[in-house]
């Protein structure tokens, strides 16, 4: 059956801010305390979605979460009216309060790991919402993420939404940011590529020294089991711990794949040859493109600053084009970086499927370490499955216009971390989200609606 890849982008939430919450994420740390512009952030994201829709690709949208999370603050012992809870938490426990305010659910590459039905033994699409336990502000996302996925992928005979993995360090799971799928066509059985940062139990295997390795081998293995991946349909590889220590906190900051292409830096994996061998074995006679970027071409520092590897590779074939060409959707920071831009011109001219470069301004998200690929969750669906989802989340011109106006109506254009304690911000956010659940036909997914 024919199948296509949908990009489900996260809509940036009204509390988008720079609190510097992510140790190991260079942009998040270096922009701590800066003033954000939630309205521009949401609009930049929406414009990226529109660009992909206009290329003829399947584009959908996932909603933000309720922030500040009153539920989380109550779990932390605060009580009283919502406004009292906010005031007390902000003055007595600033760190907890900032965690409760983050709009980090916008990076839907971290929402879940998804296995298309062509790869699974029971022929269903499997989702595991990521527990994100490595960072407090992200560990509070998974409950609502689960509900959101259930409100979009409603057909239980086609979609299995698993519970998140147990909330323990051994099961640290960051979702699709460390997961890529190779295939000859979206509808045929693929090779799912899981990259992890550390063996939790085996302390003899090298691990990063400076920054945390967020994804564990044990978590990736649990997902492979839960998703019932066909034998030989998965490949596990360890990330190079040295690059984690240089700011590569997810594999999607140093490698990205699509169909028969792996675009990666030479220092991405602990054992590059093992990765290549397994992919070559899987593809047999079919052509595979390893696009390997060397230190001489682009340094790790430039890769982390520009987010070259956090570009989206999208297939234009069967959509915008007849041939098998692919486009790279890049953040503006790649154009601004001389070495990276020079490399990209050479890449475009070389013998590989990537022949189109699309540059998008995502500055607000980038300043928190979230590039084009962080903002989207890829979901491959065949025709019957795509007919069975909640179609109100699929982006078209009308939905774009409606969401753009919704942002204008509800979002602030300036937010510093002190104004997060303004109780009015919660009131504004809830009004926005309440309206959004109607636009996207999601039902009562938020704690304040239940
Ligand atoms: O988890 N930043 C996110 C960025 C996630 C990027 N996702 C992928 N690479 N797929 C993170 O580090 C910063 C929030 C703050 O500092 O306020 C933050 O959470």
């Amino acid at each position: 059956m024919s199948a296509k890849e949908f990009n489900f982008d996260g809509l940036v939430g009204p509390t988008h801010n720079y609190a510097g919450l992510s140790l190991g994420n260079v942009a998040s740390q270096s922009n701590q305390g800066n003033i954000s512009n939630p309205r521009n952030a949401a609009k930049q994201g929406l414009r990226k979605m529109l660009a992909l829709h206009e290329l003829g690709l399947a584009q959908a949208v996932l909603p933000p979460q309720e922030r500040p999370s009153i539920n989380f603050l109550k779990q932390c012992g605060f009580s009283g009216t919502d406004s009292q809870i906010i005031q007390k938490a902000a003055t007595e426990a600033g760190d907890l309060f900032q965690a409760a305010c983050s709009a980090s659910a916008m990076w839907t590459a971290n929402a879940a790991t998804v296995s298309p039905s062509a790869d699974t033994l029971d022929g269903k699409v499997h989702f595991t919402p990521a527990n994100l336990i490595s960072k407090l502000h992200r560990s509070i996302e998974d409950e609502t993420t689960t509900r959101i996925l259930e409100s979009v992928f409603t057909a239980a005979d086609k979609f299995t939404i698993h519970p998140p993995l147990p909330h323990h360090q051994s099961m640290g799971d960051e979702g699709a940011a460390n997961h890529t799928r190779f295939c000859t066509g979206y509808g045929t059985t693929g090779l799912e590529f899981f990259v992890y940062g550390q063996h939790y139990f085996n302390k003899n295997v090298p691990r990063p020294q400076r920054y945390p390795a967020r994804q564990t081998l044990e978590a990736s293995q649990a997902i492979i089991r839960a998703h019932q991946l066909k034998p030989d349909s998965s490949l596990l590889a360890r990330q190079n711990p040295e690059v984690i220590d240089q700011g590569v906190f997810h594999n999607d900051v140093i490698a990205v794949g699509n169909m028969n292409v792996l675009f990666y830096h030479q220092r991405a994996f602990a054992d590059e040859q093992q990765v290549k061998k397994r992919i070559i074995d899987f593809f047999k006679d079919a052509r595979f493109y390893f696009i390997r970027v060397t230190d001489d071409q682009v340094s790790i520092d430039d890769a982390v600053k520009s987010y070259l590897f956090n570009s989206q590779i999208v297939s234009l074939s069967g959509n915008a084009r007849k041939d098998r060409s692919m486009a790279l959707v890049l953040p503006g920071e790649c154009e601004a970086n001389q070495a990276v831009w020079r490399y990209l011109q050479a890449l475009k001219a070389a013998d590989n499927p990537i022949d189109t470069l699309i540059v998008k301004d995502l500055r607000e998200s980038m300043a928190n370490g979230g590039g084009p690929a962080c903002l989207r969750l890829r979901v491959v669906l065949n025709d019957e499955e795509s007919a069975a989802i909640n179609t109100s989340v699929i982006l078209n011109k009308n939905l774009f216009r409606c969401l753009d106006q919704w942002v204008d109506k509800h979002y602030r254009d300036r937010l510093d971390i002190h104004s997060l304690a303004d109780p009015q911000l919660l009131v504004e956010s809830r009004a926005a989200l309440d309206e959004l659940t109607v636009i996207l036909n999601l039902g009562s997914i938020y704690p304040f609606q239940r």
Side-chain angles (χ1 to χ4, degrees):
M1 200 182 303
S2 79
K4 60 185 169 198
E5 179 182 272
F6 281 73
N7 282 294
F8 281 81
D9 276 49
L11 202 47
V12 177
T15 62
H16 160 66
N17 72 90
Y18 300 120
L21 302 179
S22 279
L23 174 70
N25 169 342
V26 178
S28 155
Q29 288 184 266
S30 56
N31 288 305
Q32 179 171 30
N34 286 355
I35 292 166
S36 66
N37 184 331
R39 189 186 297 166
N40 274 355
K43 283 173 165 268
Q44 287 166 0
L46 275 169
R47 273 154 187 75
K48 170 170 90 80
M49 297 183 219
L50 182 66
L52 268 73
H53 164 71
E54 286 177 342
L55 279 175
L57 299 164
Q59 179 68 53
V61 55
L62 293 174
Q65 301 204 1
E66 180 194 350
R67 296 289 181 269
S69 169
I70 297 296
N71 259 12
F72 169 69
L73 294 174
K74 282 184 180 165
Q75 282 175 350
C76 295
F78 292 100
S79 58
T81 63
D82 291 344
S83 172
Q84 286 166 340
I85 289 175
I86 289 172
Q87 293 298 348
K88 278 193 264 180
T91 43
E92 294 168 25
D95 293 328
L96 291 179
F97 181 65
Q98 286 182 353
C101 291
S102 177
S104 53
M106 70 170 91
W107 299 296
T108 51
N110 305 116
T113 306
V114 187
S115 296
S117 55
D119 300 351
T120 64
L121 287 171
D122 65 357
K124 289 168 78 173
V125 185
H126 287 249
F127 299 79
T128 298
N131 61 25
L132 297 169
I133 52 108
S134 172
K135 299 277 173 268
L136 179 64
H137 67 290
R138 305 222 57 183
S139 70
I140 59 178
E141 293 174 25
D142 63 356
E143 202 182 314
T144 302
T145 300
T146 306
R147 268 205 298 277
I148 290 171
L149 293 174
E150 286 167 352
S151 69
V152 173
F153 302 97
T154 45
D157 59 326
K158 294 189 168 49
F159 308 115
T160 298
I161 297 164
H162 296 274
L165 299 180
H167 277 212
H168 178 261
Q169 285 173 352
S170 61
M171 287 286 151
D173 175 24
E174 299 277 318
N178 298 305
H179 176 252
T180 294
R181 176 173 184 260
F182 305 114
C183 56
T184 49
Y186 288 122
T188 56
T189 300
L191 179 66
E192 295 198 18
F193 183 40
F194 293 81
V195 181
Y196 59 89
Q198 62 161 309
H199 280 245
Y200 180 79
F201 291 114
N202 185 346
K203 311 278 184 223
N204 296 323
V205 178
R207 42 177 77 178
Q209 301 299 308
R210 186 173 174 215
Y211 292 143
R214 299 198 199 181
Q215 182 83 27
T216 67
L217 165 70
E218 292 80 358
S220 301
Q221 287 170 329
I223 290 171
I224 292 170
R225 279 190 292 271
H227 289 198
Q228 304 178 35
L229 293 187
K230 292 177 182 168
D232 302 323
S233 251
S234 59
L235 165 58
L236 281 155
R238 185 162 59 89
Q239 217 185 331
N240 176 357
E242 287 168 23
V243 298
I244 297 179
D245 279 339
Q246 287 175 266
V248 182
F249 58 98
H250 286 139
N251 180 58
D252 69 4
V253 178
I254 197 150
V256 56
N258 176 48
M259 296 189 85
N260 60 343
V261 171
L262 173 60
F263 177 44
Y264 69 108
H265 194 276
Q266 70 172 107
R267 300 209 289 133
F269 310 114
D271 187 348
E272 179 189 354
Q273 293 318 316
Q274 172 245 353
V275 170
K276 286 183 76 171
K277 185 177 176 317
R278 275 293 314 280
I279 295 175
I280 290 167
D281 288 350
F282 184 86
F283 271 75
K284 300 194 179 80
D285 297 331
R287 179 136 192 214
F288 193 91
Y289 296 85
F290 291 98
I291 308 180
R292 178 181 195 262
V293 182
T294 62
D295 276 324
D296 292 344
Q297 289 167 313
V298 177
S299 66
I300 296 291
D301 191 43
D302 278 339
V304 171
K305 282 195 186 119
S306 68
Y307 262 40
L308 168 64
F309 297 98
N310 201 262
S311 51
Q312 290 175 251
I313 310 184
V314 291
S315 294
L316 300 174
S317 48
N319 292 299
R321 307 248 178 106
K322 292 263 175 299
D323 56 4
R324 300 215 113 204
S325 73
M326 297 186 191
L328 269 190
V329 183
L330 302 142
E333 285 73 359
C334 286
E335 198 171 16
N337 182 305
Q338 252 186 20
V340 169
W341 196 241
R342 194 178 325 116
Y343 169 78
L344 282 166
Q345 301 314 310
L347 171 76
K348 204 170 98 168
D351 172 30
N352 68 63
I354 299 170
D355 60 9
T356 307
L357 305 178
I358 298 167
V359 178
K360 299 306 295 175
D361 175 6
L362 295 166
R363 244 171 293 179
E364 286 286 328
S365 168
M366 283 286 288
N368 251 335
C374 300
L375 286 161
R376 61 92 174 98
L377 179 66
R378 294 186 281 191
V379 183
V380 169
L381 298 173
N382 66 30
D383 296 342
E384 281 177 9
E385 291 155 357
S386 50
I389 69 169
N390 165 5
T391 50
S392 303
V393 299
I394 297 177
L395 194 92
N396 52 34
K397 262 243 153 73
N398 282 342
L399 180 59
F400 168 82
R401 264 190 235 112
C402 175
L403 292 173
D404 205 42
Q405 285 164 6
W406 170 84
V407 170
D408 280 329
K409 178 173 164 196
H410 295 285
Y411 281 50
R412 297 190 184 186
D413 60 3
R414 192 190 148 88
L415 198 57
D416 63 46
I417 50 174
H418 307 291
S419 16
L420 293 169
D422 173 4
Q424 189 55 27
L425 185 61
L426 177 70
V427 175
E428 291 167 23
S429 302
R430 283 183 174 168
L433 297 183
D434 213 24
E435 206 175 301
L436 185 67
T437 50
V438 177
I439 298 172
L440 300 179
N441 189 23
L442 297 169
S444 302
I445 50 169
Y446 296 114
F448 75 89
Q449 295 175 313
R450 293 163 83 85

